[in-house]
Amino acid sequence: MKGLFNKRNQKIKEMTTVSFNIDETIPQHIAIIMDGNGRWAKNKFMPRIAGHKEGMNTVKKVTKRASQIGVKVLSLYAFSTENWKRPDDEVNFLMQLPVDFFDTFVPELMEQNIKVQVIGFIDQLPKHTQESVEQAISVTERNTGMVLNFALNYGGRSELLEASKALAKKVKAGEIDVEDITESLFEESLMTCDLKEYQNVDLMIRTSGEERISNFMLWQNAYSEFYFSQVLWPDFNEQALEQAIGVYQKRHRRFGGL
Ligand code: FPP
């Protein structure tokens, strides 16, 4: 049976297409919670890891399309600080995925001028995962196009705690005064500081019908527009991304004003 299925394995009605425009209203920073790999696999009577493997192919498609239409930063939640609670086999598979991804996709990243960056507690990842990530960062370092920002072993609350501790230490050492702690100084202490003017998220997408933030980029999502897609991540594709962008372009962002 062909078609797209939601989390209850019900066929989703074909999407009504919302047109999108490639112009200055394209969201500069898109963040995605790539959810639904396990359910996708279950629906097909396959092991959960088959969903993650297919999810990796979706990452390739979406990355390429986002770069082509002029997105500046694409942040992808690949592994949270809470994901260690999953069975060992699944965790091991998820730790191998970045290796497989970069082994097969770096030539395209170079072709597309895409730069890889990572947020998260990378030093706690297995050695082979760390090495692969570090190599991808270094090979793509001089690329000047879209930043593909992977969140690996990332948690928003831990990020905020670490930033607070770093600033508290600076105050204690007499390097800054408490009054110097502004939003912009705080942002300089976050894991996303290298993203500079694109640090804050414009459009945050979550797939699979779940409507939660799950500890993802809590500071950076303060004023983002949320888009929840019913599609399970392995079925998400270029058209689904364009649909999300089209919906975003029709919203009126007020940032607390009128
Ligand atoms: C959530 O779906 C998905 C994850 C925890 C892993 C995300 C990883 C990928 C999409 C693979 C791409 C990664 C790289 C590094 C290229 P879930 O397993 O919670 O799904 P479920 O809610 O249906 O069980």
Side-chain angles (χ1 to χ4, degrees), residues 1-15 43-44 230-232 235:
M1 209 173 15
K2 271 179 84 89
L4 299 177
F5 295 85
N6 69 7
K7 58 182 175 178
R8 291 186 194 87
N9 205 15
Q10 297 156 332
K11 192 157 191 247
I12 300 167
K13 260 198 327 199
E14 290 312 319
M15 282 183 295
N43 291 347
K44 293 186 155 40
Q230 293 299 315
V231 178
L232 303 174
D235 286 330

Side-chain angles (χ1 to χ4, degrees), residues 46-65:
M46 297 201 287
R48 291 178 55 81
I49 56 170
H52 296 314
K53 195 168 175 212
E54 194 55 34
M56 181 179 81
N57 293 328
T58 306
V59 169
K60 292 179 179 177
K61 287 188 235 173
V62 168
T63 298
K64 225 171 136 180
R65 189 66 186 132

Side-chain angles (χ1 to χ4, degrees), residues 16-33:
T16 42
T17 317
V18 175
S19 63
F20 87 112
N21 300 308
I22 301 184
D23 58 21
E24 72 291 344
T25 64
I26 288 277
Q28 295 188 310
H29 185 169
I30 299 181
I32 309 184
I33 301 181

